[in-house]
């Protein structure tokens, strides 16, 4: 395991999340085994203050579970999350509630994450109330107005309900709710993937502006390599609950070392019209985390798999400045992305 935590605001140490299936008396008497889904497996990384760490992988690979486990919206099964020097995983309920003011989340589906019976003023004002951040209703209203305007909505919107807004506006409400308590760290959990492409760009721009203005640090989760490549300072690539490659964004975009990252990169249109990259088509779906493959979890879909890959999990190795990957064939410098003619 390679440490990342030297100057980290957030330090995730060997974090795992396992979900146990239902196992009642009848199951036990009939000798049926309890199902275990290892959604996140022994994940470690750090996020520095002011940084955007992009977390990419296919749907179902454990990205959202990882984001929620960091905030303890889902209780981690093992490992530690240290935020600004405090072991968040060891906090009691009251201390965790106070910590949540500093660590927030923006959800993927703005409509599902907003209470349809509450007005914008109530939705955005709730974190102020929960954390006791204002003394009078007037002060609370003023803070809500300022926040709503900061995300590009108007004070005239305050008494409207979520269904009266477009998808992009609803996501702005979700962003205002996440930021009104003046947090430092935000898990952005696929915040643009439910939006039209034209709206995605506006929300990405808003999030980058707010990051600058409010001094925020993001863990930005997406399945879209173009979004991750545009926004991130560093990128972590996740496959079936594990981080298989991580490094500075330029390194990952121009020199991905893991075959899975290379397959993700092959889907990005080539800027240089004279060069045509190989298009890597992975066969099969993401395997079920109920019964993950042995050895390297990617071996069932990896075009470069050899015998050892089926038997032994690869260790994470340094492959460049701040760049690491886990693959048995790193030293062979193979690439699935070599140009395929002009
Ligand atoms: Fe492919 Fe083997 Fe590397 Fe896994 S360890 S990514 S199966 S070559």
């Amino acid at each position: 395991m390679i440490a990342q935590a030297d100057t980290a605001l957030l330090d995730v140490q060997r974090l795992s999340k396992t979900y146990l299936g239902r196992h009642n008396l009848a199951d036990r008497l009939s000798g049926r085994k309890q199902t275990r889904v290892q959604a996140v497996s022994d994940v470690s990384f750090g996020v520095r203050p002011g940084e955007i760490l992009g977390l990419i992988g296919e749907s179902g690979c454990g990205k959202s579970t990882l984001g929620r486990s960091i905030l303890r919206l889902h209780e981690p099964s093992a490992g530690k999350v240290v935020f600004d020097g405090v072991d968040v995983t060891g906090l009691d309920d009251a201390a965790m509630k106070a910590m949540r003011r500093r660590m927030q989340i923006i959800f993927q589906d703005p409509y599902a994450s907003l209470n349809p019976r509450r007005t914008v003023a109530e939705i955005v004002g709730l974190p102020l109330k929960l954390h006791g951040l204002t003394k009078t209703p007037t002060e609370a209203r003023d803070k809500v107005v300022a926040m709503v305007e900061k995300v590009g909505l108007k004070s005239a919107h305050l008494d409207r309900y979520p269904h009266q807004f477009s998808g992009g506006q609803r996501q702005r409400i979700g962003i205002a709710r996440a930021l009104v308590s003046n947090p430092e760290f935000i898990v952005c959990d696929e915040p643009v993937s439910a939006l039209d492409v034209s709206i995605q760009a506006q929300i990405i721009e808003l999030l980058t502006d707010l990051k600058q203005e409010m001094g925020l640090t993001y863990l930005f989760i997406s399945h879209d390599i173009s979004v991750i490549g545009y926004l991130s300072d560093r990128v972590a690539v996740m496959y079936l609950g594990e981080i298989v490659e991580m490094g500075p964004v330029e390194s990952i975009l121009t020199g991905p070392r893991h075959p899975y990252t290379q397959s993700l990169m092959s889907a990005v249109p080539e800027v240089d019209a004279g060069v045509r990259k190989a298009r890597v088509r992975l066969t099969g779906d993401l395997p079920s985390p109920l019964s993950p493959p042995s050895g390297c979890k990617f071996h069932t879909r990896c075009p470069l798999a050899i015998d050892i890959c089926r038997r032994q999990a690869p260790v994470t190795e340094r492959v460049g400045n701040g760049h690491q990957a886990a693959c048995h064939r790193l030293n062979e410098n193979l690439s699935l992305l070599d140009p395929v003619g002009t």
Side-chain angles (χ1 to χ4, degrees):
M1 200 64 51
I2 296 173
Q4 294 283 326
D6 36 359
T7 55
L9 175 67
L10 179 83
D11 184 19
V12 176
Q13 301 173 10
R14 308 201 65 173
L15 198 74
S16 294
K17 176 64 187 174
T18 306
Y19 294 103
L20 298 176
R22 268 194 13 211
H23 200 235
N24 55 26
L25 184 61
D27 293 326
R28 264 176 264 151
L29 291 175
S30 64
R32 212 171 291 136
K33 276 195 178 162
Q34 188 169 24
T35 55
R36 297 168 64 87
V37 176
Q38 179 110 39
V40 175
S41 183
D42 204 11
V43 163
S44 297
F45 60 87
V47 190
R48 300 180 194 106
E51 186 178 41
I52 301 182
L53 178 68
L55 180 63
I56 181 141
E58 287 159 281
S59 295
C61 75
K63 308 184 294 297
S64 291
T65 303
L66 174 57
R68 283 155 207 238
S69 300
I70 288 169
L71 301 180
R72 287 184 58 196
L73 297 173
H74 294 186
E75 213 49 67
S77 311
K80 258 193 197 180
V81 176
V82 179
F83 180 76
D84 197 18
V86 178
D87 178 3
V88 167
T89 25
L91 296 180
D92 62 22
D93 288 352
M96 190 61 224
K97 186 184 160 208
M99 185 58 93
R100 288 231 169 82
R101 185 199 68 72
R102 303 175 65 191
M103 307 171 80
Q104 286 285 333
I105 183 166
I106 297 166
F107 294 99
Q108 172 179 359
D109 182 347
Y111 198 56
S113 71
L114 302 176
N115 187 333
R117 291 188 195 84
R118 299 239 185 248
T119 63
V120 171
E122 289 168 333
I123 290 168
V124 177
L126 189 61
L128 297 175
K129 210 188 247 182
L130 282 176
H131 297 293
L133 297 175
T134 48
K135 291 194 181 68
T136 64
T138 312
E139 189 192 351
R141 183 86 176 181
D142 288 348
K143 280 210 162 148
V144 168
V145 169
M147 193 66 240
V148 158
E149 288 177 348
K150 206 178 260 195
V151 300
L153 297 172
K154 298 186 177 80
S155 53
H157 290 137
L158 285 179
D159 297 317
R160 296 190 194 164
Y161 291 87
H163 73 269
Q164 295 174 285
F165 294 90
S166 67
Q169 286 174 318
R170 285 199 282 257
Q171 192 54 292
R172 288 174 194 268
I173 300 168
I175 293 169
R177 176 182 56 185
L179 301 189
V180 74
S181 61
N182 209 17
E184 292 139 75
F185 172 73
I186 311 287
V187 173
C188 302
D189 187 6
E190 300 259 15
V192 296
S193 50
L195 305 174
D196 291 347
V197 176
S198 58
I199 307 297
Q200 286 188 7
Q202 294 172 15
I203 297 297
I204 287 171
E205 199 178 324
L206 174 66
L207 287 169
T208 46
D209 289 349
L210 290 168
K211 175 192 167 290
Q212 283 306 115
E213 194 180 331
M214 299 179 71
L216 299 166
T217 302
Y218 290 159
L219 175 67
F220 196 99
I221 299 172
S222 177
H223 63 273
D224 185 336
I225 187 78
S226 309
V227 171
I228 289 287
Y230 174 75
L231 270 170
S232 310
D233 299 301
R234 284 188 307 132
V235 177
V237 182
M238 200 164 184
Y239 187 80
L240 216 54
E242 295 176 347
I243 289 184
V244 296
E245 183 160 13
M246 178 156 55
V249 66
E250 311 76 30
S251 260
I252 296 284
L253 294 183
T254 59
R257 298 293 303 276
H258 193 282
Y260 179 60
T261 317
Q262 291 170 358
S263 73
L264 294 176
M265 289 303 306
S266 79
V268 179
E270 190 55 64
V271 179
D272 181 349
V275 180
R276 196 152 54 87
K277 268 183 321 206
R279 178 81 202 249
V280 185
R281 289 187 200 286
L282 295 180
T283 51
D285 295 328
L286 190 68
S288 166
L290 265 171
S291 52
S294 59
C296 172
K297 288 181 179 172
F298 187 51
H299 86 251
T300 52
R301 300 166 82 196
C302 180
L304 301 179
I306 53 176
D307 193 41
I308 190 175
C309 307
R310 289 175 260 284
R311 290 184 279 108
Q312 196 176 309
V315 293
T316 301
E317 291 176 50
R318 230 178 259 280
V319 292
N321 196 4
H323 189 165
Q324 64 187 59
C327 170
H328 287 299
R329 306 193 70 182
L330 287 175
N331 293 335
E332 297 173 59
N333 279 323
L334 303 167
S335 177
L336 301 172
L337 292 174
D338 287 340
V340 289
T342 56

